[in-house]
Amino acid sequence: MPGMTTEAKNAVARTGDKAPASWGLGDGQAIPWEYSPAPESRDVVTIEDRYGLFIGGREIEASDGKTFVTVNPATEEPLAQVARATPQDIDKAVRAARRAQTRVWGRLPGKERAKYLYRIARILQERSREFAVLETMDSGKPIKESRDVDIPLAAAHFWYYAGWADKLEYAFPGRVARPLGVAAQVIPWNFPLLMLSWKIAPALAAGNTVVLKPASTTPLSALLFADVCRQAELPAGVVNIVPGPGEIGMHLVTHPDVDKVAFTGSTEIGKKIAKGVAGTDKGLTLELGGKAANIVFDDAPLDQAVEGIVNGIYFNQGEVCCAGSRLLVQESIAGPLIDKLKDRLSTIRVGDPLDKNTDVGAINSKAQLEKITELVEAGKSEGAEFYQPACDLPERGYFFRPTLFTNVAQSHRIAQEEIFGPVLSVLTFRTPEEAVEKANNTPYGLSAGIWTDKGSRILAMAKRMKAGVVWANTFNRFDPTSPFGGYKESGFGREGGMHGLHAYVRLEDR
Ligand code: NDP
């Protein structure tokens, strides 16, 4: 039909539904199942022209007055100028955190700390729409994900750890849990507020204070969180936010007065940080990259598996450390499964992240888009079979079509390297042994998925996966009560659950 988008034409071709004559579309004409635009309002959040650093409970300029720009990756429009922390500012932030820890926060009884955490959780819920819109504009992720996943889960982490603040003696029976002191936390751009909550909530619950550096492409939700801290009347210096470049992250984690370092990001930077803090008595947890296998056996419910595969790799544009980026399919069902998957891909809506119908939004930055493009080209030239559904992309912004590679060999770069984009590599296997071998044939070990009808097979396979998290007949499910973390080059230490508290305490005998 004239005027229809490619996506709508695909949908029509797929369903083959015919319009009743009363619709006046012409005899036997296909129904144009097209979505109307459903944009979320930008007006629910006020984006300031300029943001300072948040140190000692106050917003201050960087010591040299320098700023950087954060842009909306869906439109390439500048959103705000953000103060760029200097080494002097890091010293100031660590001093503020130390003062707050020794004079106030570390002395508060757990039940008093809990009250602040509950307050923060409640405020995040009350301001969830504002946070969701800001997060989507600064990161490119679809509003339905920031609204339904990132922000509710961030609040849930504060609720959960608030509950532990006065119960540490039950978390560590027979021991006394003391805070470590000042925590330096560096977070990435794929789940900005959620990663902040994974880091700040357990640290505060255990009596530590924090200095957190957000990623340079997504500083805004952390700076809005500073406002939540003010609103919750959190004592000055308990939380400090210091946007700035990677070097400033290194300065922060190696600062001599920091007791604990928590990092989420690439394996490359994780290794540098591990070297930077080696030989000191700083505690260290690293949540790094992944190349998860999502394994589908021939007895799996295929339609359900297709939804899980799509959620596993196209959720958050595939910019997910635990993304199911390698699909391992049992050979006998590879044909029908891939047909169903291609069919499903043609219904994925790529576009304006603020539109409530959008499934795949913008890639977080130009640099990331270039990295994805480069690896996809490598996949093509190494001989894998490339497939993308036809779909219209916005003219501006950093967008990439959902991509599927079949006939992938284990040696291909797209089977080995973390792409961190909406790109799925499909490999096949014949026996469970072969599936285990291929799944574990990676330097990473963050997550895995298993799809089968048999509970015994789930248990047998899960035990053999070298992965910190194994999902069965589902994928990318997160819960604050559940620990998360990796093996091998995916890092060490656990975040979430009781295990997440462990990284922020020193245990002493009674
Ligand atoms: P990085 O690991 O570089 O960034 C993560 C965080 O670390 C950011 O806050 C970054 O700051 C900071 N950082 C950068 N350099 C240093 C340093 N030398 N010392 C301390 N902190 C530093 O990830 P990228 O953003 O560069 O992404 C590159 C690749 O990493 C992606 O393509 C993806 O494959 C992977 N990645 C994995 C993530 C995961 O969760 N596993 C998350 C993000 C990326 P700044 O933003 O200022 O550079």
Side-chain angles (χ1 to χ4, degrees):
M1 290 178 83
M4 279 173 71
T5 63
T6 318
E7 183 188 315
K9 282 180 202 148
N10 281 344
V12 168
R14 195 182 59 258
T15 62
D17 289 349
K18 301 289 186 285
S22 60
W23 287 24
L25 289 173
D27 200 19
Q29 182 63 271
I31 303 172
W33 288 117
E34 201 169 355
Y35 283 77
S36 298
E40 172 58 284
S41 168
R42 293 174 63 137
D43 299 340
V44 297
V45 60
T46 306
I47 302 182
E48 310 292 342
D49 293 337
R50 197 179 167 101
Y51 288 86
L53 312 169
F54 182 61
I55 296 179
R58 290 188 312 124
E59 185 177 342
I60 60 169
E61 290 295 323
S63 62
D64 62 4
K66 287 200 177 142
T67 58
F68 63 95
V69 180
T70 181
V71 301
N72 180 340
T75 60
E76 300 174 52
E77 285 163 358
L79 290 172
Q81 293 281 342
V82 176
R84 188 179 193 275
T86 64
Q88 289 81 347
D89 297 320
I90 296 297
D91 289 345
K92 209 184 283 176
V94 173
R95 270 204 306 277
R98 175 64 63 194
R99 225 175 10 251
Q101 207 282 326
T102 50
R103 295 190 189 166
V104 187
W105 196 249
R107 293 183 178 187
L108 277 185
K111 72 176 199 293
E112 295 303 317
R113 294 198 302 272
K115 286 181 191 168
Y116 287 102
L117 293 181
Y118 280 127
R119 216 182 270 173
I120 290 172
R122 206 169 50 243
I123 297 170
L124 284 177
Q125 285 184 325
E126 283 163 5
R127 299 178 68 175
S128 62
R129 199 163 159 214
E130 189 184 346
F131 268 101
V133 172
L134 185 68
E135 195 78 306
T136 283
M137 290 176 71
D138 205 20
S139 73
K141 65 173 64 213
I143 187 74
K144 71 176 177 191
E145 291 178 6
S146 47
R147 181 195 63 197
D148 299 345
V149 182
D150 293 59
I151 312 303
L153 267 178
H157 274 80
F158 280 97
W159 287 117
Y160 175 74
Y161 282 110
W164 275 120
D166 62 345
K167 301 178 193 67
L168 296 178
E169 63 196 278
Y170 300 101
F172 308 104
R175 315 294 304 275
V176 182
R178 306 252 182 243
L180 294 175
V182 174
Q185 306 179 322
V186 177
I187 57 170
W189 40 262
N190 52 347
F191 294 93
L193 188 74
L194 185 57
M195 289 302 105
L196 173 150
S197 72
W198 281 26
K199 301 262 179 297
I200 293 185
L204 265 46
N208 305 276
T209 54
V210 306
V211 181
L212 177 135
K213 190 197 96 61
S216 294
T217 55
T218 53
L220 296 186
S221 55
L223 293 165
L224 190 59
F225 182 81
D227 195 43
V228 170
C229 295
R230 274 193 293 255
Q231 199 182 337
E233 296 176 4
L234 192 70
V238 173
V239 168
N240 304 276
I241 312 274
V242 287
E247 309 91 79
I248 234 32
M250 188 51 92
H251 193 82
L252 170 61
V253 298
T254 53
H255 193 287
D257 203 27
V258 155
D259 303 294
K260 152 82 191 161
V261 173
F263 171 76
T264 298
S266 62
T267 296
E268 182 196 343
I269 302 296
K271 286 180 180 175
K272 285 189 184 162
I273 289 178
K275 280 189 194 143
V277 305
T280 70
D281 62 355
K282 296 182 203 304
L284 176 64
T285 40
L286 297 173
E287 297 279 356
L288 310 175
K291 192 73 189 175
N294 203 359
I295 307 170
V296 185
F297 284 96
D298 58 4
D299 61 346
L302 287 198
D303 292 313
Q304 199 182 321
V306 165
E307 289 312 305
I309 294 162
V310 166
N311 177 42
I313 185 63
Y314 303 114
F315 170 64
N316 202 37
Q317 298 73 243
E319 296 165 325
V320 182
C321 47
C322 52
S325 51
R326 284 183 302 147
L327 177 65
L328 301 189
V329 196
Q330 196 149 20
E331 204 173 81
S332 53
I333 52 155
L337 185 79
I338 287 161
D339 287 349
K340 277 177 187 285
L341 198 51
K342 286 184 176 169
D343 194 29
R344 179 66 176 85
L345 284 194
S346 67
T347 69
I348 289 181
R349 293 176 296 275
V350 185
D352 178 6
L354 274 178
D355 192 307
K356 294 170 200 155
N357 292 322
T358 292
D359 298 310
V360 171
I363 301 301
N364 182 257
S365 64
K366 192 159 182 257
Q368 187 60 23
L369 180 62
E370 283 166 4
K371 179 183 168 191
I372 297 168
T373 310
E374 195 249 318
L375 276 160
V376 165
E377 289 310 313
K380 288 182 192 167
S381 63
E382 285 183 325
E385 213 167 284
F386 166 84
Y387 174 82
Q388 281 183 338
C391 66
D392 300 317
L393 297 185
E395 275 168 22
R396 295 199 66 186
Y398 314 130
F399 290 91
F400 200 84
R401 290 188 179 85
T403 302
L404 183 67
F405 275 108
T406 47
N407 286 336
V408 177
Q410 294 212 75
S411 57
H412 289 166
R413 285 181 67 196
I414 53 168
Q416 290 290 328
E417 295 179 32
E418 183 177 46
I419 301 176
F420 229 62
V423 182
L424 180 64
S425 302
V426 185
L427 298 98
T428 57
F429 67 91
R430 289 185 183 166
T431 62
E433 283 62 39
E434 191 184 347
V436 169
E437 204 166 297
K438 284 186 168 165
N440 291 336
N441 180 18
T442 162
Y444 297 110
L446 194 53
S447 64
I450 300 163
W451 297 82
T452 170
D453 201 28
K454 295 186 185 64
S456 55
R457 179 175 275 167
I458 290 171
L459 296 174
M461 288 293 293
K463 260 195 344 211
R464 300 170 72 189
M465 292 292 107
K466 291 272 180 290
V469 179
V470 182
W471 285 289
N473 291 333
T474 187
F475 209 93
N476 273 343
R477 297 272 162 203
F478 305 97
D479 190 285
T481 64
S482 175
F484 183 93
Y487 277 82
K488 302 192 280 184
E489 296 212 355
S490 292
F492 49 78
R494 294 292 176 266
E495 290 185 317
M498 245 173 21
H499 304 65
L501 282 172
H502 202 276
Y504 287 97
V505 294
R506 194 178 64 245
L507 296 178
E508 293 175 358
D509 292 333
R510 276 191 190 282

